[in-house]
Amino acid sequence: MHLRGGRPIAPLVLSAQERAYLEQQVRRHRVARSMSERCRVILRCADGLPSKSVAAELGVHEHTVGKWRRRFLRDRCDGLLDEARPGRPRTIDDDQVAAVIERTLRTTPADATHWSIRSMAAETGFSHTTIRRMWAAFGLQPHRSQTFKLSNDPLFVDKVRDIVGLYLSPPNRALVLPMMPGVPERRTHNYVRHGTTSLFAALDVASGFVIGKCYKRHRTAEFLNFLKEIDAHVPEGLDVHIVMDNYATHKTPRIKAWLARRPHYYIHFTPTSASWINQVERWFAELTRKRLRRGVHTSVRQLESDIRSFIDRHNENPKPFKWAKSADQILASVKRFCQKTQQTLCGEL
Protein backbone atom coordinates (compact mmCIF):
# COMPACT_ATOMS: atom_id res chain seq x y z
CA MET A 1 0.00 0.00 0.00
CA HIS A 2 1.46 3.34 -0.98
CA LEU A 3 1.37 6.12 1.58
CA ARG A 4 1.56 9.62 0.22
CA GLY A 5 4.27 11.67 1.95
CA GLY A 6 3.73 15.11 3.45
CA ARG A 7 4.36 18.40 1.77
CA PRO A 8 8.08 18.77 0.96
CA ILE A 9 9.87 21.39 3.05
CA ALA A 10 12.48 23.61 1.44
CA PRO A 11 15.80 23.51 3.29
CA LEU A 12 16.60 26.61 5.32
CA VAL A 13 20.27 27.58 5.03
CA LEU A 14 21.72 30.70 6.64
CA SER A 15 24.65 32.73 5.47
CA ALA A 16 27.25 33.71 8.06
CA GLN A 17 25.95 37.29 7.99
CA GLU A 18 22.32 36.21 8.50
CA ARG A 19 23.22 33.93 11.40
CA ALA A 20 25.24 36.70 13.06
CA TYR A 21 22.28 39.10 12.72
CA LEU A 22 19.76 36.60 14.15
CA GLU A 23 21.99 35.71 17.10
CA GLN A 24 22.54 39.41 17.81
CA GLN A 25 18.77 40.01 17.93
CA VAL A 26 18.34 37.12 20.38
CA ARG A 27 21.04 38.49 22.71
CA ARG A 28 19.85 42.09 22.71
CA HIS A 29 17.85 43.14 25.79
CA ARG A 30 16.14 46.04 24.06
CA VAL A 31 14.64 44.15 21.16
CA ALA A 32 10.92 43.32 21.11
CA ARG A 33 10.15 39.88 22.52
CA SER A 34 8.22 38.91 19.38
CA MET A 35 11.26 39.66 17.19
CA SER A 36 13.54 37.68 19.49
CA GLU A 37 11.15 34.71 19.31
CA ARG A 38 11.04 34.78 15.50
CA CYS A 39 14.85 34.80 15.34
CA ARG A 40 15.00 31.78 17.65
CA VAL A 41 12.54 29.95 15.39
CA ILE A 42 14.70 30.54 12.31
CA LEU A 43 17.92 29.59 14.09
CA ARG A 44 16.47 26.29 15.30
CA CYS A 45 14.99 25.54 11.86
CA ALA A 46 18.41 26.22 10.33
CA ASP A 47 19.86 23.63 12.73
CA GLY A 48 17.77 21.02 10.92
CA LEU A 49 14.98 20.57 13.46
CA PRO A 50 11.47 19.87 12.13
CA SER A 51 8.76 22.44 12.79
CA LYS A 52 7.04 20.27 15.39
CA SER A 53 10.23 19.95 17.46
CA VAL A 54 10.95 23.68 17.22
CA ALA A 55 7.39 24.49 18.32
CA ALA A 56 7.64 22.17 21.34
CA GLU A 57 11.04 23.56 22.34
CA LEU A 58 10.06 27.24 22.12
CA GLY A 59 6.48 26.87 23.38
CA VAL A 60 4.74 28.15 20.23
CA HIS A 61 2.26 26.61 17.80
CA GLU A 62 3.56 24.56 14.89
CA HIS A 63 1.70 26.85 12.47
CA THR A 64 3.62 29.81 13.89
CA VAL A 65 6.92 28.09 13.13
CA GLY A 66 5.76 27.34 9.58
CA LYS A 67 4.64 30.92 9.04
CA TRP A 68 7.99 32.50 9.94
CA ARG A 69 9.91 29.80 8.11
CA ARG A 70 8.02 30.57 4.88
CA ARG A 71 8.42 34.31 5.30
CA PHE A 72 12.13 33.99 5.90
CA LEU A 73 12.59 31.78 2.84
CA ARG A 74 10.72 34.37 0.79
CA ASP A 75 12.11 37.66 2.15
CA ARG A 76 15.07 36.54 4.29
CA CYS A 77 15.66 38.74 7.39
CA ASP A 78 13.23 41.43 6.22
CA GLY A 79 10.47 38.82 6.35
CA LEU A 80 10.72 38.72 10.15
CA LEU A 81 9.64 42.35 10.48
CA ASP A 82 5.99 43.21 11.10
CA GLU A 83 4.07 43.92 7.94
CA ALA A 84 2.16 47.14 7.54
CA ARG A 85 -1.36 46.78 8.86
CA PRO A 86 -4.51 48.57 7.74
CA GLY A 87 -5.67 51.50 9.80
CA ARG A 88 -4.12 54.71 11.02
CA PRO A 89 -0.46 55.03 9.97
CA ARG A 90 2.24 55.18 12.63
CA THR A 91 3.04 58.65 13.93
CA ILE A 92 6.08 57.52 15.96
CA ASP A 93 8.89 55.78 14.12
CA ASP A 94 11.41 53.26 15.47
CA ASP A 95 14.13 55.87 15.97
CA GLN A 96 11.86 57.90 18.24
CA VAL A 97 10.98 54.83 20.27
CA ALA A 98 14.67 53.94 20.57
CA ALA A 99 15.44 57.49 21.73
CA VAL A 100 12.84 57.25 24.53
CA ILE A 101 14.16 53.86 25.66
CA GLU A 102 17.74 55.11 25.57
CA ARG A 103 16.85 58.20 27.60
CA THR A 104 14.95 56.10 30.14
CA LEU A 105 17.90 53.77 30.68
CA ARG A 106 20.82 56.20 30.43
CA THR A 107 19.65 59.49 31.95
CA THR A 108 17.78 60.85 34.97
CA PRO A 109 15.65 63.98 35.30
CA ALA A 110 17.16 67.07 36.90
CA ASP A 111 14.79 67.01 39.88
CA ALA A 112 14.49 63.27 40.59
CA THR A 113 16.44 60.02 40.82
CA HIS A 114 14.41 58.27 38.09
CA TRP A 115 11.91 58.96 35.36
CA SER A 116 8.18 58.67 35.86
CA ILE A 117 5.72 58.17 33.00
CA ARG A 118 4.51 61.77 33.20
CA SER A 119 7.96 63.34 33.57
CA MET A 120 9.19 61.41 30.52
CA ALA A 121 6.06 62.45 28.61
CA ALA A 122 6.70 66.10 29.46
CA GLU A 123 10.36 65.77 28.42
CA THR A 124 9.70 64.08 25.07
CA GLY A 125 6.39 65.66 24.07
CA PHE A 126 4.58 62.31 23.79
CA SER A 127 1.43 61.48 25.72
CA HIS A 128 1.75 59.58 28.98
CA THR A 129 -0.21 56.66 27.48
CA THR A 130 2.36 56.43 24.65
CA ILE A 131 5.22 56.35 27.16
CA ARG A 132 3.37 53.69 29.17
CA ARG A 133 3.00 51.49 26.07
CA MET A 134 6.68 51.91 25.19
CA TRP A 135 7.85 51.01 28.68
CA ALA A 136 5.48 48.05 28.86
CA ALA A 137 6.70 46.73 25.49
CA PHE A 138 10.32 46.76 26.71
CA GLY A 139 9.59 45.75 30.31
CA LEU A 140 10.93 49.01 31.80
CA GLN A 141 10.06 49.96 35.39
CA PRO A 142 12.35 52.84 36.42
CA HIS A 143 10.66 53.24 39.82
CA ARG A 144 11.89 49.82 40.90
CA SER A 145 15.38 49.26 42.23
CA GLN A 146 17.49 46.35 43.47
CA THR A 147 19.50 46.59 46.67
CA PHE A 148 22.28 44.41 48.02
CA LYS A 149 24.47 45.12 51.01
CA LEU A 150 28.10 44.40 50.23
CA SER A 151 30.24 42.93 52.99
CA ASN A 152 33.29 44.93 54.03
CA ASP A 153 34.80 41.92 55.81
CA PRO A 154 38.51 41.68 54.85
CA LEU A 155 38.20 37.87 55.00
CA PHE A 156 35.01 37.78 52.92
CA VAL A 157 36.44 35.54 50.15
CA ASP A 158 38.03 33.09 52.57
CA LYS A 159 34.87 32.80 54.66
CA VAL A 160 32.64 32.28 51.63
CA ARG A 161 34.89 29.48 50.36
CA ASP A 162 35.05 27.91 53.83
CA ILE A 163 31.29 27.89 54.47
CA VAL A 164 30.19 26.97 50.95
CA GLY A 165 32.74 24.17 51.01
CA LEU A 166 31.04 22.80 54.13
CA TYR A 167 27.66 22.85 52.38
CA LEU A 168 28.82 21.23 49.14
CA SER A 169 31.37 18.78 50.59
CA PRO A 170 30.69 18.23 54.30
CA PRO A 171 33.43 16.41 56.27
CA ASN A 172 33.05 12.71 57.03
CA ARG A 173 31.59 11.80 60.43
CA ALA A 174 30.64 15.39 61.16
CA LEU A 175 27.53 17.50 61.63
CA VAL A 176 27.29 20.86 59.88
CA LEU A 177 24.91 23.12 61.80
CA PRO A 178 24.15 26.61 60.45
CA MET A 179 22.82 28.42 63.51
CA MET A 180 21.42 31.82 64.34
CA PRO A 181 18.98 33.57 66.66
CA GLY A 182 15.76 35.01 65.26
CA VAL A 183 13.35 37.46 66.85
CA PRO A 184 9.81 36.71 65.66
CA GLU A 185 7.35 39.52 66.24
CA ARG A 186 4.12 38.93 68.05
CA ARG A 187 1.14 40.75 66.61
CA THR A 188 -2.56 40.45 66.04
CA HIS A 189 -4.28 40.85 62.69
CA ASN A 190 -4.25 44.63 63.13
CA TYR A 191 -0.53 44.71 63.92
CA VAL A 192 -0.77 45.35 67.65
CA ARG A 193 2.50 44.07 69.14
CA HIS A 194 2.46 41.74 72.14
CA GLY A 195 6.20 41.48 72.85
CA THR A 196 9.07 39.54 71.34
CA THR A 197 10.84 36.23 71.85
CA SER A 198 14.29 35.04 70.80
CA LEU A 199 14.31 31.82 68.82
CA PHE A 200 17.62 29.98 68.57
CA ALA A 201 17.71 27.43 65.76
CA ALA A 202 20.31 25.08 64.29
CA LEU A 203 19.83 23.19 61.02
CA ASP A 204 21.52 19.90 60.16
CA VAL A 205 22.39 20.48 56.49
CA ALA A 206 22.62 16.75 55.78
CA SER A 207 19.19 15.70 57.08
CA GLY A 208 17.21 18.95 57.41
CA PHE A 209 16.55 18.26 61.12
CA VAL A 210 16.13 21.45 63.18
CA ILE A 211 17.03 22.03 66.83
CA GLY A 212 15.15 25.06 68.10
CA LYS A 213 14.36 26.69 71.41
CA CYS A 214 12.73 29.98 72.46
CA TYR A 215 14.20 32.27 75.11
CA LYS A 216 13.07 35.55 76.59
CA ARG A 217 16.42 37.23 75.93
CA HIS A 218 19.51 36.84 73.77
CA ARG A 219 22.47 36.88 76.13
CA THR A 220 25.51 34.73 76.80
CA ALA A 221 23.52 32.63 79.27
CA GLU A 222 20.82 31.80 76.72
CA PHE A 223 23.34 31.11 73.97
CA LEU A 224 25.37 28.81 76.22
CA ASN A 225 22.19 26.97 77.20
CA PHE A 226 21.38 26.44 73.52
CA LEU A 227 24.88 25.11 72.83
CA LYS A 228 24.30 22.57 75.58
CA GLU A 229 20.97 21.71 73.92
CA ILE A 230 22.84 21.00 70.68
CA ASP A 231 25.48 18.99 72.51
CA ALA A 232 22.78 16.77 73.98
CA HIS A 233 21.50 15.92 70.47
CA VAL A 234 24.90 15.16 68.91
CA PRO A 235 25.85 11.45 68.79
CA GLU A 236 29.19 10.42 70.28
CA GLY A 237 32.22 10.49 68.02
CA LEU A 238 31.05 13.16 65.60
CA ASP A 239 32.70 16.50 64.90
CA VAL A 240 30.41 19.51 64.97
CA HIS A 241 30.83 22.41 62.54
CA ILE A 242 28.73 25.43 63.56
CA VAL A 243 28.11 28.25 61.10
CA MET A 244 27.03 31.49 62.78
CA ASP A 245 27.51 35.26 62.70
CA ASN A 246 30.14 37.07 64.77
CA TYR A 247 27.64 38.62 67.17
CA ALA A 248 29.30 39.73 70.44
CA THR A 249 27.27 37.22 72.48
CA HIS A 250 28.85 34.38 70.48
CA LYS A 251 32.43 35.35 71.46
CA THR A 252 32.34 36.01 75.22
CA PRO A 253 34.90 34.38 77.54
CA ARG A 254 32.29 31.91 78.84
CA ILE A 255 31.47 30.74 75.31
CA LYS A 256 35.12 30.49 74.34
CA ALA A 257 35.89 28.47 77.48
CA TRP A 258 32.98 26.09 76.81
CA LEU A 259 34.13 25.53 73.22
CA ALA A 260 37.77 25.13 74.27
CA ARG A 261 36.77 22.13 76.41
CA ARG A 262 35.21 20.52 73.32
CA PRO A 263 37.87 20.31 70.60
CA HIS A 264 35.46 18.48 68.29
CA TYR A 265 33.49 21.74 67.91
CA TYR A 266 34.56 23.96 64.99
CA ILE A 267 33.20 27.48 64.57
CA HIS A 268 32.79 29.11 61.14
CA PHE A 269 31.81 32.78 61.32
CA THR A 270 29.87 34.24 58.40
CA PRO A 271 31.29 37.39 56.78
CA THR A 272 30.06 40.74 58.08
CA SER A 273 26.72 41.76 56.48
CA ALA A 274 26.41 38.36 54.77
CA SER A 275 23.82 36.47 56.78
CA TRP A 276 22.43 35.17 53.44
CA ILE A 277 25.21 32.57 53.41
CA ASN A 278 23.86 31.02 56.62
CA GLN A 279 21.65 28.19 55.39
CA VAL A 280 19.39 28.27 58.44
CA GLU A 281 18.09 31.61 57.07
CA ARG A 282 16.20 29.54 54.52
CA TRP A 283 14.44 27.66 57.30
CA PHE A 284 13.58 30.92 59.09
CA ALA A 285 12.01 32.12 55.83
CA GLU A 286 9.80 29.00 55.80
CA LEU A 287 8.79 29.60 59.42
CA THR A 288 7.88 33.21 58.64
CA ARG A 289 5.95 32.37 55.47
CA LYS A 290 4.00 29.41 56.79
CA ARG A 291 3.44 30.29 60.44
CA LEU A 292 4.17 33.87 61.40
CA ARG A 293 3.38 36.29 58.59
CA ARG A 294 -0.39 35.81 58.70
CA GLY A 295 -0.58 34.32 62.15
CA VAL A 296 -2.62 35.93 64.92
CA HIS A 297 -0.86 35.67 68.30
CA THR A 298 -2.28 37.46 71.32
CA SER A 299 0.54 36.47 73.67
CA VAL A 300 4.17 35.41 73.66
CA ARG A 301 3.18 32.04 75.07
CA GLN A 302 0.83 31.39 72.16
CA LEU A 303 3.50 32.36 69.63
CA GLU A 304 6.16 30.14 71.22
CA SER A 305 3.68 27.26 71.23
CA ASP A 306 3.09 27.74 67.49
CA ILE A 307 6.86 27.85 66.83
CA ARG A 308 7.45 24.64 68.77
CA SER A 309 4.57 23.02 66.89
CA PHE A 310 6.09 24.09 63.57
CA ILE A 311 9.50 22.66 64.53
CA ASP A 312 7.97 19.35 65.64
CA ARG A 313 5.97 19.03 62.42
CA HIS A 314 9.01 19.92 60.33
CA ASN A 315 11.13 17.28 62.08
CA GLU A 316 8.55 14.56 61.44
CA ASN A 317 9.63 14.60 57.79
CA PRO A 318 12.76 16.79 57.52
CA LYS A 319 14.19 17.56 54.11
CA PRO A 320 17.57 19.21 53.58
CA PHE A 321 17.88 22.37 51.52
CA LYS A 322 20.07 22.03 48.44
CA TRP A 323 22.86 24.58 48.14
CA ALA A 324 23.23 25.15 44.40
CA LYS A 325 25.95 27.80 43.97
CA SER A 326 29.67 27.18 44.31
CA ALA A 327 31.95 29.71 45.99
CA ASP A 328 33.36 30.74 42.59
CA GLN A 329 29.85 31.40 41.24
CA ILE A 330 28.92 33.49 44.29
CA LEU A 331 32.10 35.55 44.13
CA ALA A 332 31.65 36.08 40.38
CA SER A 333 28.10 37.33 41.00
CA VAL A 334 29.32 39.75 43.67
CA LYS A 335 32.04 40.95 41.30
CA ARG A 336 29.49 41.62 38.53
CA PHE A 337 27.32 43.56 40.98
CA CYS A 338 30.30 45.67 42.07
CA GLN A 339 31.22 46.42 38.46
CA LYS A 340 27.65 47.32 37.55
CA THR A 341 27.29 49.54 40.61
CA GLN A 342 30.56 51.26 39.85
CA GLN A 343 29.45 51.96 36.28
CA THR A 344 26.15 53.38 37.55
CA LEU A 345 27.93 55.65 40.03
CA CYS A 346 30.37 56.81 37.37
CA GLY A 347 27.45 57.57 35.04
CA GLU A 348 25.72 59.63 37.71
CA LEU A 349 28.90 61.54 38.49
Side-chain angles (χ1 to χ4, degrees), residues 29 42 45 76 82 101 107 116 118 120 165 189 191 193 205 217 227 229 254 269 286 319 325 341:
H29 295 293
I42 300 305
C45 288
R76 308 310 289 178
D82 289 323
I101 301 305
T107 67
S116 67
R118 294 188 181 277
M120 180 57 73
H189 63 283
Y191 298 92
R193 290 177 59 125
V205 298
R217 302 177 68 180
L227 286 176
E229 183 83 13
R254 289 179 63 189
F269 289 114
E286 288 291 289
K319 295 181 180 179
K325 296 289 186 180
T341 304

Side-chain angles (χ1 to χ4, degrees), residues 42-57:
I42 300 305
L43 286 170
R44 297 306 285 151
C45 288
D47 291 338
L49 271 66
S51 297
K52 184 175 293 186
S53 299
V54 175
E57 179 181 325

Side-chain angles (χ1 to χ4, degrees), residues 111-152:
D111 59 346
T113 59
H114 60 274
W115 292 103
S116 67
I117 288 177
R118 294 188 181 277
S119 63
M120 180 57 73
E123 180 73 14
T124 59
F126 298 130
S127 69
H128 64 88
T129 54
T130 298
I131 299 298
R132 186 188 301 276
R133 286 196 298 269
M134 290 182 186
W135 284 5
F138 287 86
L140 299 181
Q141 297 176 318
H143 63 284
R144 300 185 65 181
S145 62
Q146 292 180 329
T147 59
F148 180 79
K149 184 173 177 61
L150 290 172
S151 173
N152 58 3

Side-chain angles (χ1 to χ4, degrees), residues 88-277:
R88 181 183 175 185
R90 288 182 60 182
T91 57
I92 303 174
D93 59 32
D94 291 342
D95 290 340
Q96 290 174 301
V97 174
V100 170
I101 301 305
E102 188 72 16
R103 180 171 293 183
T104 303
L105 294 173
R106 303 298 183 190
T107 67
T108 57
D111 59 346
T113 59
H114 60 274
W115 292 103
S116 67
I117 288 177
R118 294 188 181 277
S119 63
M120 180 57 73
E123 180 73 14
T124 59
F126 298 130
S127 69
H128 64 88
T129 54
T130 298
I131 299 298
R132 186 188 301 276
R133 286 196 298 269
M134 290 182 186
W135 284 5
F138 287 86
L140 299 181
Q141 297 176 318
H143 63 284
R144 300 185 65 181
S145 62
Q146 292 180 329
T147 59
F148 180 79
K149 184 173 177 61
L150 290 172
S151 173
N152 58 3
D153 194 320
L155 299 177
F156 175 77
V157 174
D158 294 335
K159 290 180 178 179
V160 168
R161 294 191 183 280
D162 176 39
I163 294 173
V164 174
L166 282 176
Y167 294 159
L168 297 180
S169 301
N172 293 328
R173 296 192 57 75
L175 286 178
V176 179
L177 298 175
M179 183 181 70
M180 68 175 293
V183 186
E185 179 183 343
R186 268 62 51 207
R187 65 188 188 188
T188 63
H189 63 283
N190 56 352
Y191 298 92
V192 176
R193 290 177 59 125
H194 292 282
T196 60
T197 189
S198 290
L199 168 63
F200 287 80
L203 168 73
D204 180 6
V205 298
S207 67
F209 187 88
V210 171
I211 303 170
K213 194 170 182 179
C214 293
Y215 296 91
K216 291 183 179 179
R217 302 177 68 180
H218 179 196
R219 303 172 301 176
T220 297
E222 288 78 16
F223 182 60
L224 183 58
N225 184 278
F226 186 62
L227 286 176
K228 294 176 180 177
E229 183 83 13
I230 292 175
D231 200 46
H233 283 81
V234 175
E236 291 288 338
L238 290 184
D239 289 339
V240 180
H241 293 260
I242 295 180
V243 178
M244 61 184 181
D245 61 29
N246 54 4
Y247 190 65
T249 303
H250 302 162
K251 299 183 292 185
T252 61
R254 289 179 63 189
I255 300 300
K256 290 180 179 179
W258 189 89
L259 292 171
R261 294 193 297 270
R262 292 162 178 80
H264 61 290
Y265 272 71
Y266 300 87
I267 304 302
H268 306 263
F269 289 114
T270 60
T272 306
S273 304
S275 60
W276 46 265
I277 203 172

